[in-house]
Amino acid sequence: NLGPDKCNLIINYLPPTFTENDVKCYFAPYGVIQQCKVVMDLHTGKSKGYGFVRYTTQKSAEKAMEALNGYEIENKKLKVAVARKHCKEIRNSNLYVTHLPKTLDNKGLEELFKPYGKLVECRVLTDKQGRFRGVRSR
C-alpha cells in the first residue's frame, strides 16, 4: 500500500533547539500521540529541523495539521503535512520550475500540472512580503 498513513505527520521548519518533548507539548492537545521523533544529525547531534508525530487517530492528525500548519515559533513557520511513505517509487520526485510569470499563483500552477498526474504538493514560492518569486515547486 503506497497510500499515505493519515495518522502520521511530518513537521518541517522546527526550531533547531526543539526536542521531542517540545514537539509533544505543541501536538499533544490535539490527540493521543503514538510516536514522536525529531530527526537528528548523527555527526553533530543537532536537530535537522524536521520531525514526525504519529497520532492514534486520523481525526487527531487532521486537527493538529489544521491548527499548527503555518504556526510561528521562534521565527520559524511550521509546515505540517501528512507524511509520505518512504519508498523508491516516490524518491526524488520534486520538480522545481523557474522563469514562470510572477503572476502565476498556486491555483494556476496546479491547473498547469494536474493533467500529468497526481500532485502531492503544489505551491509557488513567495518572498517575505508574500509576492511570487518566479520559482515554482511541484
Side-chain angles (χ1 to χ4, degrees):
N1 177 16
L2 293 179
D5 169 358
K6 294 187 180 355
C7 295
N8 193 27
L9 300 178
I10 182 167
I11 301 96
N12 287 296
Y13 309 116
L14 287 172
T17 58
F18 258 43
T19 65
E20 288 169 10
N21 282 337
D22 295 318
V23 173
K24 283 179 188 174
C25 285
Y26 280 92
F27 284 80
Y30 304 99
V32 178
I33 295 174
Q34 187 176 29
Q35 189 176 13
C36 177
K37 177 179 173 134
V38 172
V39 178
M40 306 300 275
D41 183 302
L42 296 177
H43 299 293
T44 66
K46 294 185 177 175
S47 165
K48 286 189 168 188
Y50 71 98
F52 298 90
V53 171
R54 180 187 301 280
Y55 285 98
T56 56
T57 68
Q58 182 178 331
K59 188 88 175 140
S60 296
E62 287 169 357
K63 286 194 296 189
M65 197 166 30
E66 191 175 302
L68 296 173
N69 186 41
Y71 189 82
E72 283 194 44
I73 305 171
E74 296 179 22
N75 293 331
K76 294 271 195 175
K77 194 180 276 192
L78 298 183
K79 179 182 168 198
V80 183
V82 173
R84 292 184 279 172
K85 289 208 186 291
H86 186 75
C87 63
K88 287 185 172 117
E89 286 85 356
I90 63 169
R91 283 178 82 184
N92 302 319
S93 61
N94 287 341
L95 174 66
Y96 295 92
V97 183
T98 62
H99 304 296
L100 291 176
K102 290 189 180 205
T103 55
L104 190 66
D105 61 8
N106 289 340
K107 189 78 181 137
L109 182 65
E110 188 176 319
E111 291 301 316
L112 199 59
F113 281 93
K114 203 164 49 175
Y116 301 100
K118 181 178 186 254
L119 300 177
V120 174
E121 180 184 1
C122 183
R123 67 189 171 101
V124 176
L125 301 180
T126 57
D127 62 19
K128 289 183 191 243
Q129 286 76 39
R131 294 181 305 235
F132 302 131
R133 290 182 15 197
V135 178
R136 313 295 180 247
S137 171
R138 173 186 138 357

